[in-house]
């Protein structure tokens, strides 16, 4: 299991760590309009799944804006999903305030389905650990990064390279 800290304090991750080469676990989260969304809703696309503790923090906001700004260069075959425990209403507000219209923000607050399925639910905080996953068109995980310290940035370049390798 990935070892993660948040503000330098160790946290317990609930669920099974996702490994490159395995089938991506399904999940059920909420869209900004409270409708359910699963992995299968983006079937046939390459998925870049960006996971953040809360959009209302500096690093999370930067991470989400970075992937939003890169979306156009990745093409229509790529879906960028940003998942957090933020309420759907807060996510919608954040997207409007940041002109984030090339990504889909999704809330795991109701069931923690994504957090448990991908092994990123921080038990002590009921937040999601910062991470990035790339899932190909056949639902196979081709990239997984569990960021060791929750207040650090992910490796944007490696994640984007993983997506671009699938679009060529």
């Amino acid at each position: 299991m990935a070892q993660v800290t948040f503000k330098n304090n160790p946290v317990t991750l609930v669920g099974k760590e996702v490994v490159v080469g395995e089938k991506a676990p399904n999940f059920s989260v909420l869209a900004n309009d409270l409708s359910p969304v699963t992995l299968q809703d983006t079937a046939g696309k390459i998925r870049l799944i960006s996971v953040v503790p809360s959009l209302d923090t500096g690093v999370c906001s930067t991470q989400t804006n970075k992937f939003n700004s890169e979306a156009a260069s990745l093409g229509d075959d790529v879906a960028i999903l940003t998942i957090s425990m933020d309420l759907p209403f807060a996510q919608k507000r954040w997207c409007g305030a940041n002109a984030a219209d090339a990504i889909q923000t999704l809330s795991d607050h109701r069931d923690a389905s994504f957090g448990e399925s991908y092994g990123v639910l921080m038990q002590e905080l009921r937040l999601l650990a910062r991470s990035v996953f790339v899932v190909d068109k056949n639902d196979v995980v081709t990239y997984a990064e569990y960021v060791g310290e929750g207040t650090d940035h992910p490796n944007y370049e490696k994640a984007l390279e993983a997506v671009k390798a699938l679009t060529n």
Side-chain angles (χ1 to χ4, degrees):
M1 182 52 98
Q3 300 296 310
V4 172
T5 59
F6 190 81
K7 296 187 177 180
N8 297 313
N9 295 308
V11 293
T12 306
L13 296 181
V14 176
K16 180 183 172 290
E17 183 175 353
V18 172
V19 178
V20 169
E22 71 182 22
K23 188 157 182 76
N26 200 11
F27 55 82
S28 180
V29 291
L30 296 176
N32 293 170
D33 65 0
L34 301 178
S35 63
V37 176
T38 69
L39 181 69
Q40 295 314 304
D41 289 321
T42 53
K45 289 189 175 265
I46 298 162
R47 278 67 53 100
L48 186 153
I49 304 173
S50 173
V51 184
V52 298
S54 176
L55 290 170
D56 285 322
T57 63
V59 177
C60 298
S61 183
T62 298
Q63 178 175 334
T64 305
N65 276 314
K66 171 71 173 170
F67 288 130
N68 184 67
S69 69
E70 293 287 338
S73 69
L74 298 176
D76 293 337
D77 284 345
V78 177
I80 300 177
L81 312 176
T82 295
I83 303 178
S84 72
M85 284 292 205
D86 295 310
L87 292 174
F89 316 110
Q91 290 178 337
K92 184 175 182 177
R93 177 197 46 76
W94 185 93
C95 286
N98 288 273
D101 56 2
I103 60 168
Q104 184 176 17
T105 54
L106 301 166
S107 176
D108 200 24
H109 89 280
R110 185 177 64 187
D111 300 322
S113 169
F114 179 87
E116 290 182 11
S117 295
Y118 284 70
V120 296
L121 178 62
M122 293 186 282
Q123 180 177 334
E124 295 83 355
L125 301 171
R126 194 167 161 72
L127 294 173
L128 302 181
R130 186 176 316 285
S131 47
V132 180
F133 303 94
V134 176
V135 178
D136 72 11
K137 292 179 180 184
N138 298 311
D139 296 339
V140 174
V141 177
T142 63
Y143 178 83
E145 178 187 9
Y146 292 79
V147 179
E149 165 50 46
T151 59
D152 290 345
H153 290 270
N155 189 326
Y156 300 112
E157 292 73 28
K158 281 192 176 181
L160 291 167
E161 286 171 13
V163 171
K164 289 174 184 174
L166 296 172
T167 61
N168 295 334

